[in-house]
Amino acid sequence: MIKKAYKHRYLITIIFLVITLFTYINYVEVHLTPKNSEELFQEIRFSEQYADVENIMADGFESNFQQVDYAYMSDSDNPVNSVMQFTLIDYFEKTYIVMTAPGIDKIEVLAVEELPKDIKDYFLDFHRNVFE
C-alpha cells in the first residue's frame, strides 16, 4: 500500500514538472517575444548586447541584421523619429501598402495606398534577395 502511494507521488511530481515546463515555454512565446513593431523597437533599443537581438531573428535569417545596425539602433544618442508598421500586399498587377497602428492588441488600419511601379519593384527585389 505504501509503495503505491510513493508511485503516485512520483507520477504526480513528474506530471507537475511537465505541466510547469509547458507553461513556461508558452509564457516565453506569448509574453516575452515582440508582437508588433513598437515591441520590436524596444527589444532592440534596450537590449544588453547584440546576441539578445539575434535570438529574435527567424532561423536562417540572422545574417540580415548586422552588428553595425544593432549598434546604431541601440545607441541612445540617436533619437528615434517614429516607429511605423507596414504590410505589403502584392497582386499580379498591383501592390498595396497598408499602414497599421503599432503597439496595440488588435490591428487597426490607418491608411491603404497603391504603390508606384518603381517602389513595388524595389520591394519585390528586396523580398527576392532576402529569400535567396
Side-chain angles (χ1 to χ4, degrees):
M1 185 83 169
I2 294 175
K3 287 184 180 182
K4 282 187 179 183
Y6 280 119
K7 262 188 178 177
H8 290 297
R9 282 188 186 170
Y10 181 70
L11 185 60
I12 290 171
T13 303
I14 289 177
I15 291 172
F16 175 76
L17 290 174
V18 167
I19 290 172
T20 303
L21 177 67
F22 282 120
T23 303
Y24 175 75
I25 291 170
N26 185 42
Y27 175 79
V28 168
E29 286 293 318
V30 171
H31 297 289
L32 299 181
T33 56
K35 288 164 225 33
N36 55 49
S37 55
E38 187 175 322
E39 289 180 13
L40 176 63
F41 165 73
Q42 290 173 355
E43 183 82 19
I44 293 169
R45 182 65 152 214
F46 302 114
S47 63
E48 297 286 326
Q49 56 191 350
Y50 176 68
D52 297 338
V53 177
E54 234 180 358
N55 291 335
I56 61 174
M57 293 293 294
D59 291 337
F61 293 92
E62 294 86 357
S63 64
N64 292 334
F65 186 67
Q66 304 298 320
Q67 183 129 12
V68 125
D69 302 323
Y70 166 75
Y72 185 82
M73 293 175 74
S74 63
D75 185 357
S76 60
D77 292 336
N78 296 326
V80 178
N81 294 334
S82 64
V83 176
M84 295 178 263
Q85 184 168 296
F86 294 96
T87 301
L88 296 175
I89 301 173
D90 184 45
Y91 296 95
F92 288 107
E93 63 280 341
K94 294 181 180 184
T95 298
Y96 290 95
I97 187 165
V98 180
M99 183 178 185
T100 56
I104 58 173
D105 293 331
K106 181 180 116 183
I107 290 183
E108 293 179 349
V109 174
L110 302 177
V112 177
E113 189 172 320
E114 183 181 346
L115 289 178
K117 182 171 178 11
D118 57 336
I119 297 175
K120 172 187 176 175
D121 292 342
Y122 169 81
F123 280 113
L124 288 175
D125 287 342
F126 179 77
H127 181 266
R128 280 187 212 104
N129 290 336
V130 167
F131 286 101
E132 284 182 350

